[in-house]
Amino acid sequence: MAFHVSLVGRTDLSGEIYRQIRQAILDGRLRPGERLSPTRELAAALAVSRSTVTVAYESLLAEGFATSHTGAGTFVSHQFEAKRPASKTRRSTARAVRVRGVWETIRLPTGFDRTARFDFRTGLPDASLFPHRGWRRVVARALRSREMAAGVYENPAGNWDLRAAIARHIGISRSVSGSPDDVIVTNGTHQALDIIARVLLEPGDVVAMEDPGYRPPKELLKALGARVIGVPVDSEGLVVEALPAKARAVYVTPSHQFPLGVAMSLSRRRALLAWAERNNAVVVEDDYDSEFRFGGRPLEPLQTIDTAGRVVYVGTFSKTLLPTLRLAFMVVPPSLREAAHKAKFVTDWHTATITQSALAQFIDEGTFARHIRRVSRIYSERHETLTAEIKRNFSDYLDLVPSSTGLHITACARGASVDHIDAIVSRAFDLDVAVDTMSRCQVDRKPPAGIILGYGAIETARIAEGLRRLRRCFDERTSRRPKAA
């Protein structure tokens, strides 16, 4: 890689070249063993004589910052490898640029910074089950596709073949009604929500969401200037009667409420749609993991029973494939289609072409459907094992919330505070057990004390031992609690 040297306004050219390369070696931008540009090339790039560069290189060689190999070139010396300081960020200039206050209230995610041998964290599929061979094949084919050959920007809504494949897939598997024209491919669910907010909301507009619920949408909407109000959830899902009349949009997870895991009843779904029509509001239906159903009759999505064009349906491939692909989609009603295309364009123009083309082939050839069937059997076994273990070994500590969908279950604590549960989960991490807590799902109200157990990323054979260690943490913490007088 050509190294940038600035000589504008400088007089001691050889000295300046030497000092800038030396500093780059010391702070690690030029790594040990890395080849420096040939003197002739660097001289041409800097519009100086070759001898000017040669003098600088000779100084670097003399002081041991570089080594020279006849016929091979000049290289950064390895003797500075151990002496290199840690990389530094740019020096702060104490509030030189002020940011909006909302960014002081939003925290970056840290939940996946550490790994655990017994990983019950939510939102993770089993990466070992990903069909790498089939995916490599469709990616290789995508690299030879006409889109790649053309080398131009795509339609903001996404690759037409993928949009058509998604429309067919969700039409069959989830009974979602929509044509390829209604589908927009996004970089994850969060971008879909960002697009919806850009299209619908003015600063100060109210958005309602489930409480407890999935917190990232709250942070996103706050950052865009919306006012987010939490609405309680019961055994039938979102309590429609508690919705604020002034809400412009409602964000819900009706098929598998996050985090409680309940499914919104049909009567409650109809009530929500009627409310949206009366109040001229939009319902955002996040159907994040309903591909995995292990019992009970599936309910129709809100989008399917919506007759007024009030529902935006959002789906993702993060749970069915991998979060690292950053592939999701939204199905918008015709009234929002053009504005949503424009919002996607101004956000990032379009999602990566290669992955879109590969996923279209992956779905069309049936590999995706086969993958879903295969992993569903495995996840079903894990769901059954996990729920049985919780009922059998934690009945004195936890009440399991019934759920037969998705990749997580939730258990509410008996006679324990949120702080108590947070301390247990922290101790569990010390024992190599990763568990999520209900406290991370607060929107407005303080959530009930409890834990959320994902089973996407943990092998079936590890579940029993992971829960045995978790039980130990419950026992240890309970024994320390002061007894009532």
Side-chain angles (χ1 to χ4, degrees), residues 265-336:
S265 66
L266 181 58
S267 61
R268 195 68 65 82
R269 291 174 188 237
R270 287 173 173 163
L272 176 58
L273 292 174
W275 179 92
E277 189 166 1
R278 286 195 309 272
N279 291 274
N280 192 28
V282 167
V283 176
V284 181
E285 178 178 16
D286 186 353
D287 196 9
Y288 63 99
D289 67 357
S290 69
E291 291 92 346
F292 306 118
R293 175 170 290 278
F294 315 119
R297 294 178 178 175
L299 290 169
E300 289 182 305
L302 289 166
Q303 195 269 358
T304 304
I305 58 177
D306 172 31
T307 59
R310 293 284 167 188
V311 175
V312 177
Y313 179 91
V314 179
T316 180
F317 294 98
S318 291
K319 310 298 182 291
T320 53
L321 293 174
L322 287 175
T324 48
L325 294 178
R326 305 310 304 139
L327 282 170
F329 62 91
M330 53 196 293
V331 181
V332 299
S335 59
L336 299 181

Side-chain angles (χ1 to χ4, degrees), residues 20-55:
Q20 292 188 36
I21 294 178
R22 176 181 179 277
Q23 188 59 47
I25 294 172
L26 289 173
D27 63 26
R29 285 178 291 143
L30 288 175
R31 297 170 295 179
E34 194 161 355
R35 186 173 184 266
L36 299 180
S37 299
T39 55
R40 190 185 303 278
E41 289 184 11
L42 186 57
L46 299 178
V48 298
S49 69
R50 186 182 180 188
S51 62
T52 299
V53 177
T54 300
V55 170

Side-chain angles (χ1 to χ4, degrees), residues 76-318:
V76 176
S77 174
H78 280 280
Q79 68 174 298
F80 288 92
E81 188 165 12
K83 298 179 182 178
R84 258 192 307 121
S87 60
K88 300 177 181 178
T89 56
R90 291 180 64 189
R91 186 174 56 211
S92 173
T93 50
R95 302 287 181 182
V97 179
R98 294 184 60 188
V99 301
R100 291 170 52 217
V102 67
W103 297 109
E104 301 292 338
T105 68
I106 295 174
R107 292 176 294 179
L108 288 172
T110 59
F112 300 108
D113 289 353
R114 295 168 61 189
T115 59
R117 186 179 173 205
F118 304 95
D119 196 343
F120 293 101
R121 288 174 294 187
T122 58
L124 293 175
D126 191 334
S128 70
L129 300 178
F130 183 75
H132 291 89
R133 180 179 298 178
W135 185 254
R136 283 194 295 268
R137 184 184 67 255
V138 293
V139 168
R141 199 180 304 158
L143 287 167
R144 301 190 297 269
S145 66
R146 63 179 182 275
E147 291 88 358
M148 286 300 298
V152 298
Y153 293 102
E154 276 203 359
N155 186 325
N159 176 290
W160 176 263
D161 291 341
L162 177 56
R163 293 159 65 194
I166 290 172
R168 285 193 300 273
H169 171 71
I170 60 178
I172 294 171
S173 66
R174 306 189 211 177
S175 191
V176 171
S177 175
S179 71
D181 288 323
D182 301 319
V183 176
I184 299 175
V185 181
T186 64
N187 294 307
T189 297
H190 291 188
Q191 188 183 50
L193 298 176
D194 181 85
I195 290 170
I196 295 165
R198 290 171 186 268
V199 167
L200 293 177
L201 304 179
E202 299 285 352
D205 279 353
V206 171
V207 179
M209 66 177 291
E210 299 156 328
D211 192 6
Y214 182 47
R215 274 187 62 90
K218 176 184 178 179
E219 310 289 13
L220 167 63
L221 294 165
K222 275 174 45 184
L224 293 174
R227 182 183 165 209
V228 181
I229 296 178
V231 178
V233 177
D234 63 17
S235 60
E236 293 189 66
L238 182 84
V239 179
V240 177
E241 293 80 6
L243 282 168
K246 54 191 174 183
R248 183 80 174 89
V250 184
Y251 169 78
V252 290
T253 53
S255 296
H256 186 221
Q257 200 275 332
F258 189 89
L260 295 177
V262 300
M264 185 182 288
S265 66
L266 181 58
S267 61
R268 195 68 65 82
R269 291 174 188 237
R270 287 173 173 163
L272 176 58
L273 292 174
W275 179 92
E277 189 166 1
R278 286 195 309 272
N279 291 274
N280 192 28
V282 167
V283 176
V284 181
E285 178 178 16
D286 186 353
D287 196 9
Y288 63 99
D289 67 357
S290 69
E291 291 92 346
F292 306 118
R293 175 170 290 278
F294 315 119
R297 294 178 178 175
L299 290 169
E300 289 182 305
L302 289 166
Q303 195 269 358
T304 304
I305 58 177
D306 172 31
T307 59
R310 293 284 167 188
V311 175
V312 177
Y313 179 91
V314 179
T316 180
F317 294 98
S318 291

